[in-house]
Structures are given as C-alpha cells and as structure tokens.
C-alpha cells in the first residue's frame, strides 16, 4: 500500500505519502491564493523525499471539503487526474475529519475552519474517528451556545475567540493526518466510509453568472 494524500480545501496546500504503517514524507504550505501553483511541486518534492515514483502509488486520498470553491477544486481535479492516469482508486474524506484525527483529543469536541463571509464550516465529534452528523456552515456567534464548553479545533476557533474560547491545535489541515485516517479505514476493510471524490461546498460559489445580463446579437 502506498497512499498519496492531498488536500486544498483550506488555506493549507498539503501533501503526504503513507505506506499503510507510517508517513514516509509530507509537506504543507499555508497560502490561500496559490493552491494551483503550489500543489504539483509539493507532490514532486514529497515523492522525491520518499524516494519513490508516482507509478508506485496504489491509492489516492483527497480532502473533499467543505471549503471554498476555487481552492477545493484544485485538489480534487489533481487527485482525479492521478487516479485516472495511474488506474488506482481515489478515496474522498471530509477535510474536517482530517483535522479531527490530527487533534488526538479523547473527549467530545468541535472542528471549525474558516468559511469566509464571517462564517465557519464545522462539525461535532465524539472522538477523533467519530463525527456526529454532517458538516455545516454557520456564523460563530450562532454556534457559541450550542458548542459551549467544548474544545474547538481548527482555524475557525482561532479566528473567533469570543465564540470559541477553548481553541485547540491543529489550526491547519494536514495531509499526513488524512492519509493516516485513510490507511486505518483501508486496513480495517471499511471502504464504505470513504466519500466520493466530489466537492463538498455547502453553499454556492462566490462567482456566479450575472442575472438579467444584456445579450448582444449580431446585426
């Protein structure tokens, strides 16, 4: 087993290679505006550090969000391209699940990432492997009472300390954690727990076709 994991659903452009037992190499860069520019060079460096070629990859793992439209689709398109070129399966995982897995918390908690527009993507967890319900997007102030007393993992917690006073690391997504979670699921034969490699937006993209635009026809 050789898992290549990528995630661009958050400002972190993150890549990791996992052999089913441990992480062989990993890299993360936080830059919300350069996902497309940074991802493929990061993949090359991770493969080089591990001393393997892309053709040795047996599975591709990708974070499906929730996340903003532009960044999220970079990772998904790349993962699907690798899967198609190599003829290997592409496994989707919720980005919030990767952050939860990396937290190491052994108590109920929440994961919250920046959704922009003064909102967060969030989900509640019983433990690092068990999400309670589907991810959602809400304003932090509207969540404060609902998650009071719970640790909150992720960048959303650090952005809105008044609503999430018990902020916990990690702040940013790690493909290493995503790969570790995927390796556990595959080893346990729990392939049904993966998601389709399709974007989880939770809301419509910021850029839309204008309504009632003027149509110009040739004379």
């Amino acid at each position: 087993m050789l898992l290549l994991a990528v995630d661009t659903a958050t400002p972190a452009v993150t890549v990791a290679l996992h052999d089913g037992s441990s992480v062989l190499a990993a890299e993360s860069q936080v830059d919300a505006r350069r996902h497309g520019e940074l991802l493929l060079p990061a993949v090359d460096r991770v493969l080089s550090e591990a001393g393997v070629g892309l053709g040795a990859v047996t599975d591709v793992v990708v974070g499906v969000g929730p996340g903003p439209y532009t960044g999220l689709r970079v990772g998904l398109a790349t993962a699907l391209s690798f899967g198609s070129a190599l003829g290997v399966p592409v496994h989707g995982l919720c980005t919030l699940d990767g952050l939860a897995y990396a937290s190491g918390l052994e108590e109920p908690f929440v994961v919250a990432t920046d959704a922009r527009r003064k909102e967060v993507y969030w989900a509640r967890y019983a433990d690092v492997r068990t999400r309670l319900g589907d991810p959602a997007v809400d304003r932090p102030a509207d969540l404060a009472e609902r998650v009071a007393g719970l640790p909150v993992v992720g960048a959303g917690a650090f952005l809105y300390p008044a609503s999430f006073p018990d902020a916990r690391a990690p702040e940013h997504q790690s493909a290493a954690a995503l790969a570790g979670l995927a390796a556990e699921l595959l080893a346990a034969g729990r392939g049904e727990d993966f998601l389709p490699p399709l974007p989880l937006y939770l809301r419509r993209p910021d850029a839309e076709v204008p309504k009632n635009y003027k149509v110009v026809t040739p004379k």
Side-chain angles (χ1 to χ4, degrees):
M1 180 188 299
L2 194 62
L3 309 177
L4 175 65
V6 301
D7 197 325
T8 59
T10 71
V13 179
T14 179
V15 180
L17 198 65
H18 198 291
D19 66 0
S21 299
S22 61
V23 175
L24 301 180
E27 179 178 317
S28 294
Q29 300 175 74
V30 179
D31 190 328
R33 297 182 180 275
R34 299 172 64 213
H35 293 89
E37 180 181 344
L38 296 174
L39 182 57
L40 288 178
V43 171
D44 286 341
R45 287 191 294 270
V46 165
L47 290 170
S48 179
E49 181 181 341
V52 300
L54 182 61
V57 170
T58 62
D59 298 81
V60 178
V61 180
V62 61
V64 301
Y69 176 78
T70 303
L72 176 54
R73 65 179 180 173
V74 171
L76 282 162
T78 301
L80 288 168
S81 295
F82 284 154
S84 177
L86 298 172
V88 301
V90 180
H91 310 289
L93 282 174
C94 176
T95 294
L96 302 183
D97 291 355
L99 281 158
Y101 186 81
S103 74
L105 291 174
E106 298 180 355
E107 59 189 291
F109 64 98
V110 170
V111 173
T113 61
D114 183 17
R116 304 175 185 174
R117 302 182 191 173
K118 298 182 179 179
E119 295 178 327
V120 293
Y121 298 118
W122 71 283
R124 191 189 299 261
Y125 291 79
D127 55 52
V128 296
R129 296 173 180 82
T130 310
R131 175 162 36 87
L132 304 174
D134 295 328
V137 58
D138 286 290
R139 291 185 176 275
D142 296 337
L143 293 175
E145 185 174 341
R146 296 167 62 183
V147 304
L150 294 176
V152 183
V153 173
F158 293 91
L159 283 171
Y160 303 102
S163 298
F164 309 123
D166 190 3
R168 303 285 185 94
E171 182 175 353
H172 296 293
Q173 172 69 315
S174 162
L178 204 68
L181 177 58
E184 281 194 12
L185 294 175
L186 288 170
R190 293 171 53 190
E192 71 278 2
D193 289 351
F194 289 110
L195 300 172
L198 300 172
L200 182 62
Y201 294 131
L202 299 189
R203 66 186 183 202
R204 293 191 294 179
D206 294 334
E208 297 182 13
V209 177
K211 296 179 180 179
N212 301 319
Y213 60 89
K214 183 178 180 180
V215 177
V216 178
T217 57
K219 294 181 180 179

